[in-house]
Each structure stands twice: as structure tokens, then as C-alpha cells.
């Protein structure tokens, strides 16, 4: 397969050809362009989340060819995974023609990314450091999205803050966001201290490849850390509405009992839906919690209960340390990386960013 375009590798116009399996789609990648960026530019929908190499959502397997990472080795890719020919396509730049095994997002490929105004119609504060924003789109406007995807809140200076949509699509076109207060976080500080109901925000979405793979018959394990519950909540709401009968296990890890900000809701779900098992896990319960439930790290709780993850499909969402731990430990307990989907909530205090 010859390179697309010029064959002079010193030219900035040099590009390589990438072929995807099993779809057979083929496209060219410009010099120093990532495999994912080129795919999106060519109208192809590949799974992705953070686009910074921290969440692992964009994993693909190199059947043929070589890539490198000119912006630095991606955080969510271990050396072992690289030796097994896994690559993070949001950061991988081809150095030869490529044949890549990666599932394309067929179900979401026709969902347009839109920029829309919305109004804050309600604020809830279910925990000391979490606010739930209820947003209403303009009359007659609809944002089509897959439960689990996220949107960007657009700030006046052009910066963006990314938050998962925390509800399944609703007839009233409302969107809910779970905003955790981050020390030094510019946007979350604004939400907690200044944002009022009736305020207008601009949002852009849907974005990301974190959503339920409905075609799979596998039992499901959801692993949430903190406000990583938000996209999983949307996925579960939609699954219940559709009557999805697959066995589902939800592990929600937080620090102390007060951080289980929707504990009553999820407990009610586990009573109403016999296929959902709910396991809250506290890493540092307070003395006055009188907690008798599970303690420790949430990914370890999963492994204590399910020694063989081979038959399962896993969705992990939360802070990088939790998601990284899941990616590092679950394969040794039988989980094929092709059946692990993740969404990392990244915090960047220095730049004033809040969460992804």
C-alpha cells in the first residue's frame, strides 16, 4: 500500500494511508497528524474521549505499521500494551502505512455536533462539593446525543470546560450536568459562587465515544469514581427505559459517605430493577459515618467480587488514578481491552480548567 500524496518523507505534505478493520475504510494522514484527527477530518467516527492520551477510549490495535508519539508517551498506554500492538489513536502519528483494528461508531455517526445556547433552569446541591445544573435548550431545539457522551461549555474567552451529560434524552430536552467544586477551578468556582438560575450558557456537543454498546450480549460492570457517576447515570437511565435485561453491576467509589450524592436514587434503582447490583465503596470513611459497607479502592472491590472479567464488558469513569488502575489490573483478570470503555475526568489546576 503506497503512501498517499508525495513520497518525499522530508516534505510537510507527506502522508500515510490508514486502513481500518473491520470496516475497510481507508484515508490519508498528514505529516504529524494523529490517526484520530485524520479520521474525524475524513468524516469517520472513531471512539474517543479526552483527546489528551489520558482516558484510553481511543485504543486501537496495530495489525500492520508503526506509529510514534511526538507529543510524549500517552498516560493511558502502558509499555506492555504497546508491546501487544495497542495504540492510542488520539496521540499516535503514523510513520508508515497502517492497518488498524478499531470499532467505528456507526450508531452515533449521524449525530451532528452543534453549538447551542441554553438556560439554567434549576440548581441542586446534593453534596458539599457537587452542584447539579439543569439546562433548558431553546424552544424547538434538540441536542441529539448518546447517553454517556459529553458536551463542552464555551467560555467567553474561547476556552472550554467539558462535562458529561448526566441524563438520558428526555422529552422536555433538558440536560443535566454534575459539577464538582475544584479548588482553584475557574468555572466550577463560578458555578458555586456566582451562577444563578436564568443564566445563559453556550454548549457544544455531543462529543466523545463513551456510550453503551447495545449490540453486545455481555454482562456489564460499571465502575464510577466521584462525579464519574454522571455518564453512567445517563447510560443506566436509558438502559432501564429500553428494558435492557443484561446483568449490570455498578461500583461507585468515593471518599466518605457524604460524597455518595445520589445514593438514594441508585439504591432505589437496584430495588426496582432486579438486574442491577449496586456496590458503593468508601476509600476513607469518616469516623461518624458508621459505615458498614465496602471500603478500599473501588477497582479492587470489583476484583474481589469478580475474579474472571472475561465474560464482561466494563465501563469505567472517573479520576485518572481510578481509570488507570482499572486498565492496569483488569486485563490480568481476563478482561479483553476491546471490551473496556472509559471516560477520564481530568483536572488541570494550573490552567484554571475544571474537569473532562
Amino acid at each position: 500500500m503506497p503512501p498517499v500524496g508525495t513520497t518525499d518523507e522530508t516534505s510537510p505534505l507527506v502522508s500515510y494511508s490508514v486502513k481500518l478493520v473491520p470496516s475497510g475504510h481507508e484515508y490519508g494522514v498528514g505529516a504529524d497528524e494523529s490517526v484520530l484527527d485524520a479520521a474525524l477530518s475524513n468524516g469517520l467516527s472513531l471512539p474517543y474521549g479526552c483527546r489528551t492520551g489520558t482516558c484510553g477510549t481511543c485504543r486501537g490495535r496495530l495489525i500492520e505499521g508503526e506509529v510514534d508519539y511526538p507529543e510524549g508517551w500517552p498516560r493511558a498506554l502502558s509499555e506492555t500494551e504497546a508491546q501487544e500492538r495497542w495504540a492510542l489513536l488520539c496521540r499516535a502519528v503514523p510513520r508508515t502505512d497502517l492497518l488498524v483494528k478499531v470499532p467505528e461508531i456507526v450508531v452515533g455517526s449521524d449525530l451532528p455536533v452543534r453549538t447551542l445556547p441554553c438556560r439554567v433552569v434549576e440548581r441542586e446541591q446534593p453534596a458539599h462539593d457537587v452542584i447539579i445544573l439543569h439546562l433548558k435548550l431553546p424552544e424547538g431545539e434538540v441536542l441529539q446525543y448518546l447517553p454517556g457522551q459529553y458536551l463542552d461549555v464555551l467560555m467567553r474567552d474561547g476556552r472550554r470546560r467539558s462535562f458529561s451529560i448526566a441524563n438520558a434524552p428526555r422529552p422536555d430536552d433538558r440536560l443535566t450536568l454534575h459539577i464538582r467544586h475544584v479548588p482553584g477551578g475557574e468555572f466550577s468556582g463560578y458555578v458555586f459562587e456566582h451562577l444563578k438560575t436564568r443564566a445563559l450558557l453556550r454548549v457544544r456537543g455531543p462529543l466523545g465515544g463513551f456510550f453503551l454498546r447495545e449490540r453486545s450480549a455481555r454482562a456489564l460492570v460499571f465502575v464510577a469514581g466521584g462525579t464519574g457517576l454522571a455518564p453512567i447515570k445517563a447510560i443506566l437511565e436509558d438502559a432501564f427505559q429500553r428494558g435492557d435485561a443484561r446483568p449490570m453491576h455498578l461500583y461507585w467509589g468515593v471518599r466518605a459517605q457524604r460524597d455518595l450524592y445520589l445514593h438514594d436514587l441508585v439504591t432505589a434503582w437496584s430495588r426496582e430493577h432486579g438486574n442491577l447490583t449496586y456496590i458503593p465503596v468508601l476509600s476513607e470513611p469518616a469516623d461518624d459515618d458508621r459505615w458498614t459497607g465496602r471500603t478500599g479502592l473501588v477497582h479492587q472491590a470489583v476484583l474481589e467480587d469478580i475474579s474472571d472479567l472475561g465474560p464482561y464488558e466494563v465501563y469505567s469513569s472517573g479520576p485518572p488514578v481510578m481509570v488507570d488502575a482499572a486498565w492496569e489490573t483488569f486485563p490480568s483478570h481476563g478482561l479483553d481491552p476491546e471490551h473496556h470503555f472509559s471516560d477520564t475526568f481530568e483536572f488541570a489546576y494550573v490552567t484554571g480548567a475544571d474537569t473532562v
Side-chain angles (χ1 to χ4, degrees):
M1 184 188 302
V4 176
T6 178
T7 58
D8 178 6
E9 296 190 5
T10 65
S11 167
L13 300 178
V14 66
S15 62
Y16 296 104
S17 176
V18 174
K19 184 173 183 179
L20 306 177
V21 293
S23 72
H25 289 141
E26 190 168 357
Y27 60 94
V29 182
D32 296 322
E33 185 178 25
S34 76
V35 176
L36 174 65
D37 286 346
L40 297 176
S41 297
N42 281 274
L44 300 175
S45 297
L46 302 186
Y48 72 92
C50 66
R51 299 183 74 169
T52 62
T54 60
C55 75
T57 301
C58 63
R59 273 178 173 80
R61 204 155 204 166
L62 300 177
I63 307 302
E64 297 176 4
E66 302 296 333
V67 301
D68 67 16
Y69 299 96
E71 297 186 14
W73 192 263
R75 176 176 183 167
L77 184 69
S78 70
E79 291 186 10
T80 299
E81 289 171 326
Q83 291 170 0
E84 294 174 350
R85 304 286 289 166
W86 291 99
L88 292 192
L89 304 185
C90 72
R91 284 290 182 257
V93 174
R95 293 304 178 225
T96 68
D97 293 340
L98 301 179
L99 181 64
V100 182
K101 183 179 181 183
V102 60
E104 291 185 52
I105 305 174
V106 177
V107 66
S109 61
D110 58 347
L111 299 182
V113 177
R114 307 181 63 199
T115 299
L116 295 167
C118 58
R119 190 175 296 277
V120 178
V121 293
E122 186 180 352
R123 288 165 41 103
E124 299 178 66
Q125 188 165 351
H128 70 288
D129 63 347
V130 175
I131 280 182
I132 297 178
L133 291 183
H134 297 261
L135 309 179
K136 184 73 171 68
L137 296 172
E139 196 68 33
E141 294 285 3
V142 176
L143 180 67
Q144 293 181 289
Y145 64 94
L146 299 175
Q149 290 187 295
Y150 70 91
L151 54 76
D152 282 343
V153 176
L154 307 180
M155 302 178 72
R156 290 183 178 178
D157 61 5
R159 289 179 295 166
R160 304 177 180 188
R161 299 295 181 261
S162 302
F163 297 96
S164 295
I165 303 171
N167 62 284
R170 295 168 37 155
D172 61 6
D173 297 326
R174 282 199 184 191
L175 306 172
T176 59
L177 308 179
H178 295 182
I179 314 293
R180 180 184 175 190
H181 189 248
V182 179
E186 183 177 342
F187 182 75
S188 66
Y190 168 70
V191 169
F192 271 73
E193 298 167 15
H194 303 291
L195 185 67
K196 307 296 184 184
T197 55
R198 303 291 299 167
L200 285 173
L201 297 174
R202 290 174 63 240
V203 300
R204 182 176 183 271
L207 303 166
F210 189 72
F211 58 85
L212 190 64
R213 272 56 180 180
E214 298 177 21
R215 297 177 181 176
S216 171
R218 291 171 172 261
L220 304 170
V221 174
F222 298 99
V223 190
T227 51
L229 177 71
I232 291 174
K233 174 181 175 290
I235 289 172
L236 288 173
E237 284 181 350
D238 181 66
F240 296 149
Q241 291 171 8
R242 293 185 293 98
D244 193 325
R246 286 178 286 180
M248 303 178 187
H249 306 264
L250 170 57
Y251 291 80
W252 187 13
V254 298
R255 180 171 297 174
Q257 190 167 0
R258 69 175 184 172
D259 301 314
L260 293 170
Y261 61 92
L262 290 181
H263 179 67
D264 290 345
L265 172 66
V266 184
T267 299
W269 281 351
S270 66
R271 289 196 300 263
E272 297 166 4
H273 303 279
N275 59 326
L276 175 65
T277 302
Y278 168 46
I279 304 95
V281 183
L282 304 189
S283 61
E284 299 177 22
D287 292 338
D288 59 357
D289 280 346
R290 297 195 178 102
W291 181 254
T292 59
R294 302 288 287 277
T295 59
L297 300 179
V298 66
H299 75 283
Q300 292 177 342
V302 174
L303 298 178
E304 289 168 4
D305 294 347
I306 308 174
S307 59
D308 180 12
L309 287 167
Y312 292 86
E313 195 165 79
V314 174
Y315 295 80
S316 58
S317 175
V321 64
M322 186 213 81
V323 175
D324 289 350
W327 277 100
E328 290 168 5
T329 59
F330 287 0
S332 63
H333 290 261
L335 181 64
D336 186 330
E338 291 187 6
H339 297 292
H340 187 181
F341 308 93
S342 60
D343 188 10
T344 301
F345 283 39
E346 183 72 67
F347 301 99
Y349 303 101
V350 175
T351 61
D354 292 280
T355 182
V356 172

